[in-house]
Amino acid sequence: MSPSDTIHLNQSGSTEFVFQMFTSSPNIQTLLFCFFLFLYIMIICGNSAIIWTIYINTNLHTPMYFFLSNLSFLEICYTTTLIPLMLANIMGKRKPIPFAACATQLFFFGTLGSTDCFLLAVMAYDRYVAICHPLQYTLIMTPQLCTQMVAGCLGLALFLSLPFTALVFNLPFCGHILEINHFFCDAPPVLYLVCADTRVAQAVLYVISILVLATPFLLICISYVFIAITILRIPSAEGRQRAFSTCSSHLTVVLLQYGCGSMVYFRPPSSTPADEDRYLALVYTFVTPLLNPIIYTLRNKDVKNALKKAMSKKAASENL
């Protein structure tokens, strides 16, 4: 098959992708389906509870919780672009995914994942202003600025994801049915199936990874250096503990998100077995979105107390 024929296949939409199965055993397939479905339901319920709690409690209508509710909403959208299709492909025979559907999934995965990373940097800046400039906090972090920052995160993610998706899926693919060694359409395994020189696309992916992962992480580190200096100057131990508690949850999420992302995108394409990418992807597909509401609930007294109060009010209203 010549490259021109392959390009014709891509443009005509006859090229399809299939995901590599986790296992061919029906019993294990059923167990995996039930396990991943349970995790997905927990992710939806946990992050929805965070959004609902913040929405109904006026005490939580502050920039920090505004960003937290947006983060939870992103986690719901992010996992919904990946997990339902994954669940559909676990049971029974492998089901082909159309060329356009694979491109769409890569686009939304890149957009939502990048927005998530940018938003974590914005949340670090919010903590920097709150701790290092408390008297000016309300003047700096206005509702208008917070909305603009969230919109900016999404806009920048769209700006990076759309051209890259177009670049990848305008490359020639060899064959009608292509097997992706993954459970969703991620850039590295899709580029592996291209039957042409991918050095330009790999270079663009590396640059985008720097912009999405390394740059926000560097900004977060700078913010927390100033935060740490300010916290150490607080005279009372109780004050230092209270200031640190507002940052510890965010730091935990940052380490999970950027750690797994860096191991996937900041290494040469052939430096580790492809299966390792799938295992790492399971972490930022399931573990991080699941832990976010747990971390922020268990380590944040305001959210925990507001959630308890909301649940008690709901239980009281149901008993009447």
Side-chain angles (χ1 to χ4, degrees):
M1 181 181 295
S2 67
S4 60
D5 293 335
T6 306
I7 294 173
H8 175 72
L9 284 173
N10 293 349
Q11 293 173 343
S12 66
S14 59
T15 299
E16 294 181 317
F17 299 90
V18 292
F19 301 118
Q20 189 177 76
M21 300 176 69
F22 285 99
T23 177
S24 58
S25 170
N27 292 333
I28 300 179
Q29 285 179 351
T30 303
L31 288 175
L32 287 176
F33 179 86
C34 295
F35 177 66
F36 289 139
L37 178 61
F38 172 75
L39 292 181
Y40 179 55
I41 293 172
M42 293 298 294
I43 290 170
I44 299 299
C45 293
N47 284 284
S48 297
I50 292 290
I51 297 172
W52 173 67
T53 302
I54 293 172
Y55 176 76
I56 66 173
N57 285 272
T58 55
N59 293 334
L60 300 182
H61 290 180
T62 62
M64 181 174 75
Y65 297 110
F66 171 75
F67 294 132
L68 177 57
S69 62
N70 278 275
L71 180 65
S72 293
F73 178 71
L74 272 175
E75 299 289 14
I76 293 173
C77 296
Y78 170 80
T79 53
T80 301
T81 64
L82 306 180
I83 298 177
L85 183 60
M86 171 191 172
L87 292 174
N89 281 278
I90 287 180
M91 302 292 291
K93 296 181 180 180
R94 294 189 296 178
K95 305 164 187 67
I97 173 175
F99 185 85
C102 187
T104 302
Q105 188 181 54
L106 176 62
F107 167 72
F108 280 106
F109 166 71
T111 300
L112 296 171
S114 300
T115 306
D116 202 316
C117 292
F118 295 143
L119 187 58
L120 288 174
V122 168
M123 293 173 74
Y125 174 73
D126 171 71
R127 292 299 83 210
Y128 161 76
V129 176
I131 294 174
C132 299
H133 304 283
L135 299 180
Q136 298 175 302
Y137 181 69
T138 55
L139 296 176
I140 296 175
M141 301 301 295
T142 61
Q144 182 181 7
L145 177 63
C146 294
T147 303
Q148 290 173 347
M149 293 174 93
V150 173
C153 291
L154 179 59
L156 182 56
L158 286 168
F159 175 76
L160 295 173
S161 183
L162 184 58
F164 178 72
T165 304
L167 171 64
V168 171
F169 284 90
N170 274 310
L171 293 171
F173 292 87
C174 301
H176 293 277
I177 303 294
L178 304 173
E179 182 180 65
I180 299 178
N181 189 17
H182 216 303
F183 59 88
F184 68 92
C185 292
D186 197 6
V190 170
L191 285 173
Y192 182 77
L193 301 174
V194 172
C195 57
D197 190 354
T198 61
R199 283 179 293 181
V200 172
Q202 293 284 0
V204 172
L205 176 61
Y206 192 78
V207 171
I208 291 176
S209 299
I210 292 175
L211 295 174
V212 172
L213 293 170
T215 303
F217 185 71
L218 178 61
L219 295 175
I220 291 171
C221 290
I222 294 173
S223 298
Y224 274 105
V225 167
F226 288 104
I227 289 171
I229 293 172
T230 303
I231 290 177
L232 292 175
R233 291 175 179 173
I234 298 176
S236 67
E238 183 181 353
R240 289 195 298 269
Q241 184 178 2
R242 185 167 58 251
F244 178 74
S245 66
T246 64
C247 303
S248 58
S249 301
H250 179 256
L251 274 174
T252 305
V253 173
V254 164
L255 292 175
L256 282 170
Q257 182 84 0
Y258 290 96
C260 293
S262 298
M263 285 188 282
V264 172
Y265 298 103
F266 283 128
R267 62 171 178 78
S270 59
S271 63
T272 59
D275 284 342
E276 290 191 14
D277 281 356
R278 293 208 300 169
Y279 302 142
L280 288 170
L282 286 174
V283 175
Y284 58 73
T285 302
F286 287 96
V287 179
T288 305
L290 180 63
L291 286 182
N292 280 357
I294 296 174
I295 290 170
Y296 278 106
T297 301
L298 295 179
R299 306 195 68 172
N300 190 303
K301 292 182 179 179
D302 292 336
V303 175
K304 186 161 54 176
N305 293 335
L307 186 59
K308 289 180 179 178
K309 187 182 296 183
M311 295 299 293
S312 61
K313 284 183 179 179
K314 185 177 180 180
S317 63
E318 290 177 352
N319 292 330
L320 291 177

